[in-house]
Amino acid sequence: MTISYDEEFSSLMLRWRGSLWKAVLKDLIAFYIGYYVILAIQWYVLDEKQKEYFTGWIHWCEIGSQYIPLSFLLGFFVSVIVARWWEQFNWISWPDKMMMMVSACLPGRENLEIRQAIARWSSLQAAVAWSGISVRTLKRFPTERHMVEAKLMTEEEYDMYMNLDAPHGKWFVPIMWIVNLIKKQYHAKKIDTIQMDMLLKQVYSYRDGFAMLFVYDWVKIPLVYTQVVAIATYGYFFICLIGRQPKLDQKSMETEITILFPIFTTFQMLFYLGWLKVGQFLMNPFGEDDDDFELNYVLDRNTCIAHMMATELSDQCPDVGAPMEKLIPHTRASFKIQDVIPKSHLASFKLTEKEMKLIKPEDIEESERLLAEKRSHRRLGNILSRSLDDAKKNAKKNGDIEEDSEEDDKN
């Protein structure tokens, strides 16, 4: 079942149910056993020359473990699993909207049995459909007779249900009963075309949740990718059994610090194995793990809500006329909490008096006239500057010609 928590962060670390410690404890114990068995062999069995040879294996495994892209594989795997897990939760069907519409379109005591039948069949639909995907619901309703004993199905309905030949499943049968009952009300002129359309849309929406959960149960995460992630993770720590061993040969002990407990490898196991366990637990959220969905509770809740909407809440309406107060009072506890009132990011934006002054039409005309004069002056200035440039160029050319003629005369 899903784990709820609201304690301080420090106390959360001490939780056991649904915790990291519970998820990785067995793997940690197995790793420590293997690690210290190899350490004992290295310490007590191997001689000095063999220890030097074993140190080479330690170096080789330590380098080889760096070639496994564990962070990338686990990160992508868990992100896909968590997204899929949340999508499946969002496809859990809730009958609230459908029963609201039923109560609105079929009011009064004369329609009480119809509303109750739709409410009961909505719960029967959930029990039938979820028994096909959830271990918890299947244990609650292992056979159709258990649904009869739970008053979700009558004997007549049981016979009709069991006599159906449906090789691809019968999970949609109660929904069809609801649709057919709505059609009867339409033919009996109790609802019009618009009401029937609104009711059927809600029924279809309710049905879609069960269909999508069957699809998720059918189409899993590709097995190849699951195997790749599992082999990469456990293979990495299998290599670490040797690669993280202390070097006990004489030369290494003289130059390196020897630590007999794998501190950093333990942290890696907590992180990486915890990551892997998250993916494994959330891959099928309809089992019996700590964070699996509690569909039995959802079924109980939906049955209760549907029954209330079909019976006591269907025509209940308080008297109107009580005035509404502008302010809602606080308690002393809530008043101490200072709420931050949202403000626009332009709340402090100010304009000067000159910028806020309105522009009159005559001001626009005067501005356009002045702008036209500036343009004409600028155009005239450009013409004069070009004329001066041309004159300078001509004068320079004439000067060059005179110099050439003087040189010719001298020659």
Side-chain angles (χ1 to χ4, degrees):
M1 62 187 68
T2 52
I3 305 300
S4 299
Y5 50 87
D6 55 1
E7 300 98 326
E8 295 292 333
F9 183 79
S10 57
S11 60
L12 284 179
M13 296 297 101
L14 303 177
R15 294 280 295 269
W16 173 254
R17 187 161 163 266
S19 67
L20 171 65
W21 325 118
K22 181 180 179 181
V24 304
L25 179 62
K26 294 180 180 179
D27 295 302
L28 267 176
I29 292 174
F31 179 83
Y32 288 149
I33 291 173
Y35 181 86
Y36 283 108
V37 166
I38 296 174
L39 178 61
I41 293 173
Q42 186 185 184
W43 192 285
Y44 296 107
V45 177
L46 302 183
D47 56 26
E48 184 61 29
K49 187 175 181 180
Q50 291 172 332
K51 288 179 180 178
E52 292 179 0
Y53 181 74
F54 190 79
T55 299
W57 276 93
I58 293 175
H59 283 297
W60 183 73
C61 291
E62 194 172 6
I63 294 172
S65 64
Q66 300 174 6
Y67 291 98
I68 301 177
L70 199 56
S71 298
F72 170 76
L73 291 173
L74 282 172
F76 184 74
F77 176 71
V78 173
S79 65
V80 170
I81 292 293
V82 171
R84 178 186 171 93
W85 173 77
W86 185 245
E87 288 169 2
Q88 290 181 77
F89 178 79
N90 288 330
W91 279 111
I92 292 177
S93 296
W94 310 86
D96 304 40
K97 290 183 179 180
M98 182 178 69
M99 291 309 303
M100 288 179 187
M101 189 64 67
V102 169
S103 298
C105 296
L106 295 166
R109 294 192 60 83
E110 65 275 10
N111 294 317
L112 176 61
E113 292 184 356
I114 298 170
R115 296 195 301 269
Q116 287 180 326
I118 294 176
R120 181 169 57 83
W121 287 342
S122 68
S123 295
L124 176 62
Q125 170 64 46
V128 171
W130 290 343
S131 295
I133 61 174
S134 172
V135 176
R136 299 168 187 262
T137 311
L138 181 60
K139 287 184 176 181
R140 188 174 185 178
F141 303 105
T143 64
E144 286 77 6
R145 288 302 309 177
H146 288 79
M147 298 178 190
V148 177
E149 295 173 3
K151 307 297 183 182
L152 292 177
M153 185 186 290
T154 64
E155 291 291 343
E156 179 188 3
E157 293 164 359
Y158 174 78
D159 293 336
M160 294 172 62
Y161 185 85
M162 297 305 295
N163 290 331
L164 280 174
D165 183 17
H168 301 292
K170 305 178 185 179
W171 63 268
F172 53 87
V173 171
I175 283 288
M176 284 304 303
W177 292 346
I178 295 176
V179 171
N180 293 334
L181 183 58
I182 292 173
K183 285 194 301 182
K184 282 186 177 181
Q185 307 315 304
Y186 173 72
H187 293 312
K189 306 298 183 182
K190 290 187 176 182
I191 57 175
D192 56 26
T193 306
I194 297 176
Q195 289 174 321
M196 185 177 73
D197 179 67
M198 292 189 298
L199 285 170
L200 290 180
K201 283 182 178 178
Q202 293 299 326
V203 174
Y204 298 155
S205 177
Y206 186 65
R207 173 260 175 204
D208 288 343
F210 301 109
M212 285 303 300
L213 290 184
F214 269 102
V215 171
Y216 277 109
D217 184 69
W218 171 35
V219 182
K220 305 287 188 181
I221 298 292
L223 178 62
V224 174
Y225 189 54
T226 306
Q227 290 174 335
V228 166
V229 173
I231 292 173
T233 304
Y234 286 107
Y236 176 84
F237 289 108
F238 183 79
I239 295 172
C240 287
L241 284 174
I242 297 177
R244 302 299 169 81
Q245 289 285 333
K247 303 176 183 67
L248 300 181
D249 61 292
Q250 190 66 31
K251 183 178 179 181
S252 298
M253 293 186 71
E254 291 176 355
T255 57
E256 298 181 13
I257 299 175
T258 302
I259 300 176
L260 301 182
F261 182 76
I263 300 174
F264 297 107
T265 307
T266 299
F267 280 118
Q268 280 189 313
M269 290 196 72
L270 291 175
F271 303 150
Y272 288 143
L273 279 179
W275 223 354
L276 179 65
K277 295 298 181 180
V278 168
Q280 290 178 347
F281 293 157
L282 301 186
M283 188 177 295
N284 177 26
F286 301 109
E288 296 179 289
D289 294 327
D290 289 338
D291 282 298
D292 287 341
F293 300 147
E294 300 165 321
L295 290 186
N296 281 336
Y297 161 74
V298 177
L299 178 59
D300 291 336
R301 179 261 177 205
N302 288 352
T303 302
C304 180
I305 296 297
H307 180 268
M308 290 176 63
M309 290 184 176
T311 55
E312 55 199 85
L313 291 179
S314 178
D315 298 305
Q316 185 184 91
C317 184
D319 294 333
V320 298
M324 179 180 176
E325 297 294 334
K326 185 177 181 180
L327 296 176
I328 303 174
H330 275 275
T331 63
R332 291 184 179 274
S334 67
F335 189 73
K336 294 178 182 179
I337 303 172
Q338 296 296 325
D339 295 328
V340 178
I341 300 175
K343 294 182 179 180
S344 170
H345 71 285
L346 297 177
S348 59
F349 183 78
K350 301 293 183 183
L351 293 174
T352 63
E353 290 291 335
K354 184 178 180 180
E355 291 172 331
M356 289 190 291
K357 187 177 180 181
L358 296 177
I359 301 176
K360 298 178 181 179
E362 53 268 22
D363 295 336
I364 296 176
E365 293 175 358
E366 181 66 19
S367 299
E368 290 178 349
R369 186 183 64 78
L370 293 174
L371 184 61
E373 290 180 359
K374 285 183 180 180
R375 288 175 179 171
S376 62
H377 291 160
R378 192 181 298 115
R379 199 178 299 115
L380 181 60
N382 292 335
I383 294 172
L384 290 174
S385 63
R386 282 198 296 270
S387 300
L388 290 174
D389 291 339
D390 293 340
K392 289 179 181 179
K393 290 179 181 178
N394 293 331
K396 187 176 181 181
K397 286 181 180 179
N398 293 332
D400 293 340
I401 293 171
E402 290 177 358
E403 289 177 359
D404 292 339
S405 61
E406 289 177 358
E407 289 179 0
D408 292 338
D409 293 339
K410 290 178 181 180
N411 293 330

